[in-house]
């Protein structure tokens, strides 16, 4: 879906520069600081998309989306994109948390329904219950928590 070629070094340089300049911008002009945060978050999103779709590097993609969220914690697109990669990686509890956070920010985003369907479908696959159980912890009465992992494979 996001297969465009990018210059990874240029995107990383923009992100690094924003990281250095934002503290100064905070002191001079709040609007400038906000614009720099948004620019850095967009660059992180593009880098994450490239890592996921072109490089096929889920770890780098998740890290890029997370770095973007450090710049702009209310960026629902970053949350949705990270959730998509987390689902592919079997990180169901983390994906669920990101989907819910994105839904709180943009409840009508069309991709939310697809992410929820994909999460439900992949979490039901044989051998996939283990991460879900670890994510729920001992509070889950339905599965009995991590002590009962052997029941789920």
């Amino acid at each position: 879906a996001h297969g465009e070629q990018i210059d990874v070094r240029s995107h990383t340089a923009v992100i690094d520069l924003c990281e250095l300049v934002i503290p100064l911008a905070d002191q001079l002009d709040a609007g400038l600081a906000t614009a720099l945060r948004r620019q850095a978050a967009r660059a992180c999103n593009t880098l994450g998309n490239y890592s996921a779709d072109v490089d096929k590097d889920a770890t780098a993609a998740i890290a890029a989306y997370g770095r973007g969220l450090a710049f702009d914690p209310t960026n629902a697109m970053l949350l949705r994109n990270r959730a998509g990669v987390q689902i592919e990686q079997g990180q169901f509890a983390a994906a669920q948390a990101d989907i819910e956070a994105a839904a709180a920010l943009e409840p009508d985003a069309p991709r939310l329904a697809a992410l929820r369907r994909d999460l439900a479908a992949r979490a039901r696959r044989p051998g996939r219950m283990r991460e879900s159980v670890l994510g729920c912890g001992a509070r889950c009465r339905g599965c009995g928590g991590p002590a009962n992992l052997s029941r789920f494979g």
Side-chain angles (χ1 to χ4, degrees):
H2 303 101
E4 73 269 7
Q5 292 293 321
I6 64 166
D7 182 343
V8 172
R9 282 200 278 196
S10 294
H11 272 73
T12 302
V14 166
I15 296 164
D16 291 343
L17 181 61
C18 287
E19 207 162 51
L20 293 172
V21 173
I22 288 171
L24 178 60
D26 275 331
Q27 296 173 10
L28 301 175
D29 182 342
L32 174 61
T34 298
L36 289 170
R37 281 188 183 86
R38 288 187 181 140
Q39 176 61 36
R42 278 192 300 275
C44 289
N45 188 63
T46 301
L47 187 59
N49 292 343
Y50 181 85
S51 296
D53 298 335
V54 177
D55 281 349
K56 305 297 183 200
D57 186 344
T59 301
I62 290 170
Y65 296 136
R67 190 173 183 192
L69 287 162
F71 289 109
D72 186 2
T74 62
N75 188 315
M77 182 178 11
L78 285 165
L79 289 162
R80 289 189 302 269
N81 288 346
R82 186 170 69 176
V85 177
Q86 290 166 331
I87 291 167
E88 291 171 6
Q89 295 302 302
Q91 299 172 8
F92 303 126
Q96 179 67 40
D98 278 354
I99 290 168
E100 295 309 315
L105 294 167
E106 293 178 4
D108 297 327
R111 188 169 179 217
L112 286 172
L115 286 169
R116 287 179 173 133
R117 279 191 306 272
D118 195 23
L119 177 61
R122 289 180 186 243
R124 282 194 303 264
R125 288 183 185 166
R128 295 294 192 162
M129 189 59 132
R130 177 174 295 272
E131 197 275 341
S132 295
V133 172
L134 283 173
C136 78
R139 357 175 254 285
C140 179
R141 290 186 181 18
C143 69
N148 291 317
L149 280 177
S150 62
R151 289 178 30 201
F152 300 105

